[in-house]
Amino acid sequence: MEKMDGLSMNIEAEARERLKKVFPECFAEGRLDIDKLLTMCGEYIDNDFEKYKFEWKGKGEALKLAQRRSAGCLRPCREESVDFERTQNLYIEGDNLEVLKLLQTAYFRQVKMIYIDPPYNTGNDFVYEDDFKDPLAKYLEVTSQATKSNPETMGRFHTAWLNMMYPRLRLAANLLRDDGVIFISIDDNEVTNLRKVCDEVFGEENFISQFIWERAFSPKNDAKFVSASHDYVLMYAKSIGTFKIGKLDRSKEAESRYKNPDNDPRGNWTSGDLSVKTYNANTDYEIITPSGRKVRPPHGACWRVSKKRFAELVADNRIWFGEKGDNVPRLKRFFSEIQEGMVPTSILYYKEVGHSQQGRQELKKLFDGKGYFDGPKPIGLIYRLLKIGNVSDNDIILDFFSGSATTAHAVMQLNAEDGGNRQFILVQLPEVCSEKSEAYKAGYKNICEIGKERIRRAGRKILSEVEEANQQIKLGEEEKPLPDVGFKVFKLDSSNLKLWDGIPVGVGNGQLYFEKIRNVIDGVKDDRPALDVVYELMLKLGVPLTCEVIEKEVMGKTVYSVDDDLLLFCLEPDITAEFVEEMAELAPAKIILAEMGFTDDTAMANAHYILQDRGIEIKLV
């Protein structure tokens, strides 16, 4: 019978077990023989310490911070949620480092796409100041403070930013599916360092593109040297061999390139180069055009098809020699035969995805002309990334620097258009708004309040648009399904369980030691609702926060059923063997009970044997 410790997933133990399954011979007496592991992988020890690697002050501590288990929990907040019981979307307030740790068990390799727009480290923006000793305590302290800057005068300017990003990216990588993808917005200040960090975390072989986003539509004449008109979006796959790029819809401009000058019955077409640069002597031959002109491939190149295949294409009228029949042959590509869309390009033009000013205008439209946020990304940019990321129905999208919640807006918009059920998980630190800001004067005390209100307003607008469109459908058309525009709000806090703090009491303080023991005997804090405990434990047991939780009554006691009786919780006193047997009739996979709730040790022992006989796991809190 196991008692839950109230901590997040043990990432180090999980990694060790995975490694042990693959290389059991590299473990001796429970310890990893790193030299043997390297040898097994073909890396032989040569005592050469001058190796290529990316290092900075604090990197080791940052890695330890990522792997340290969290003693926090995510407490549900129904009053700030929308459609709490049915929605599959999440909005989480809290330090994203701790939240990412808490999501590890339930969302390990479950996320299809991650998009983040982290601080760019310009010297004035916010930098998360992690505390390597107690990050949760640091978070609770920070939530009552105004944002902090990271000026270059601090000395370790880049180091502070890297120590903030590194552990978060390590944790984020664990959440991506094998066919998953991550996009990260950044500018010139840290793009070089971010590339190096991502090469280490995701693997440089999984790098796909460094997109250039044209974020400005006019130059700034007051720029000191050059007016910066672009930012970057880095794209990495979790596994380059598994990820499949999403193709884009063909634009009207792209479709206009298809013509039909020879009135081909197959419709409009465009021509493509028939030669290739990869030389093959078997496809280097002379072609005679209908006008009698002799042509060969460009110097050093060859034709892409064999002589026999070329003759077949000519017979099928798939070769174009120009209107006079004397041009170098080109291959006809018919618009009607195109099965997929366009391959994305590395430049994201503002005319196609929007610019910074457009993002601000979109937010102002929702907030009655008020601009409460600096530099929100336009919906079109995230929309385009969702397409490139090949995000399909029921996929999960995570944004753990959610800011103005553009990601949620774009996901809801895409679902409304194609009837999908994509789910978003947004995480944002409740950074305090300046008392001089418009947002604060309007009643928004922190950034999270702006983000949540943006989702509410955008959701109502999208829902009304779909309903209006359904009222105007033509005969034979189907109504569009109403998209999920709700979201469950959770807030990071200390655990609902009484945890042993591990702080030494010192010699001669026996009374204090026994007092600490008495304080943790009853496993649950007195001021925490039972439902908060249920959500904490279900997440740490690997059950997503979107699973349905229903309150039931069994023998006069309140029982919480999770995901159609997958888990059953009862935290009430006077637990008897008969009560446990009655719960077992519901055939759950696990039953979670309060250790101090049993009437006596005999009842606890009997409960253990009853559930063991039925193959039901029991856990205590």
Side-chain angles (χ1 to χ4, degrees), residues 50 92 102 113 174 180 219 347 382 390 419 436 530:
E50 293 184 349
I92 304 172
L102 294 171
M113 171 179 152
N174 292 339
I347 301 179
I382 311 303
N390 204 16
K436 298 178 181 179

Side-chain angles (χ1 to χ4, degrees), residues 353-554:
V353 302
H355 45 70
S356 295
Q357 189 61 24
Q358 183 174 329
R360 184 172 175 82
Q361 292 301 322
E362 289 168 349
L363 198 63
K364 290 177 72 173
K365 285 181 181 179
L366 289 173
F367 285 92
D368 305 317
K370 302 292 185 181
Y372 294 137
F373 206 92
D374 293 330
K377 293 294 183 284
I379 300 168
L381 176 63
I382 311 303
Y383 190 98
R384 172 64 61 87
L385 299 181
L386 290 167
K387 290 281 190 178
I388 296 173
N390 204 16
V391 179
S392 57
D393 199 13
N394 295 312
D395 284 346
I396 298 175
I397 300 95
L398 169 65
D399 182 346
F400 54 90
F401 285 96
S402 71
S404 66
T406 303
T407 297
H409 195 158
V411 170
M412 293 189 297
Q413 187 70 54
L414 182 56
N415 283 340
E417 291 180 11
D418 66 7
N421 293 297
R422 301 167 188 84
Q423 307 162 34
F424 63 76
I425 302 176
L426 265 55
V427 185
Q428 176 59 44
L429 187 78
E431 302 173 29
V432 178
C433 295
S434 168
E435 294 184 8
K436 298 178 181 179
S437 66
E438 287 187 33
Y440 188 90
K441 293 174 183 176
Y444 301 105
K445 305 304 183 211
N446 60 59
I447 288 178
C448 289
E449 293 182 6
I450 303 173
K452 287 179 290 188
E453 184 60 20
R454 194 250 180 97
I455 303 174
R456 294 187 193 103
R457 297 189 181 205
R460 289 195 295 267
K461 182 175 181 293
I462 290 170
L463 203 59
S464 66
E465 290 172 349
V466 174
E467 290 172 340
E468 183 179 349
N470 284 340
Q471 292 175 357
Q472 300 174 2
I473 60 172
K474 299 177 182 179
L475 186 65
E477 293 180 344
E478 294 185 1
E479 289 189 355
K480 286 186 175 182
L482 297 180
D484 179 3
V485 296
F487 58 98
K488 293 183 178 182
V489 175
F490 288 85
K491 298 187 178 185
L492 178 65
D493 206 335
S494 59
S495 175
N496 297 292
L497 308 182
K498 295 179 179 178
L499 305 179
W500 182 259
D501 59 22
I503 300 174
V505 297
V507 179
N509 289 321
Q511 185 62 34
L512 179 58
Y513 182 78
F514 287 114
E515 185 66 29
K516 289 177 66 173
I517 292 177
R518 282 195 295 271
N519 287 338
V520 297
I521 289 177
D522 183 6
V524 180
K525 294 177 180 177
D526 298 331
D527 61 341
R528 299 294 178 90
L531 199 59
D532 286 19
V533 182
V534 170
Y535 274 105
E536 173 180 0
L537 297 181
M538 64 184 266
L539 183 63
K540 290 175 178 176
L541 287 169
V543 179
L545 292 169
T546 51
C547 284
E548 187 177 37
V549 179
I550 297 176
E551 187 177 313
K552 296 184 175 182
E553 186 176 298
V554 176

Side-chain angles (χ1 to χ4, degrees), residues 271-275 287 289 295-296 303 310 314 319-322 326-331:
S271 63
D273 194 349
L274 194 65
S275 65
I287 291 176
T289 71
V295 295
R296 297 192 69 88
W303 304 119
F310 177 77
V314 170
I319 298 296
W320 175 246
F321 291 95
D326 60 353
N327 286 357
V328 175
R330 292 177 66 83
L331 182 65

Side-chain angles (χ1 to χ4, degrees), residues 305-319:
V305 295
S306 66
K307 196 170 186 179
K308 179 182 178 182
R309 177 58 181 156
F310 177 77
E312 292 172 350
L313 292 171
V314 170
D316 196 26
N317 191 24
R318 288 181 179 270
I319 298 296

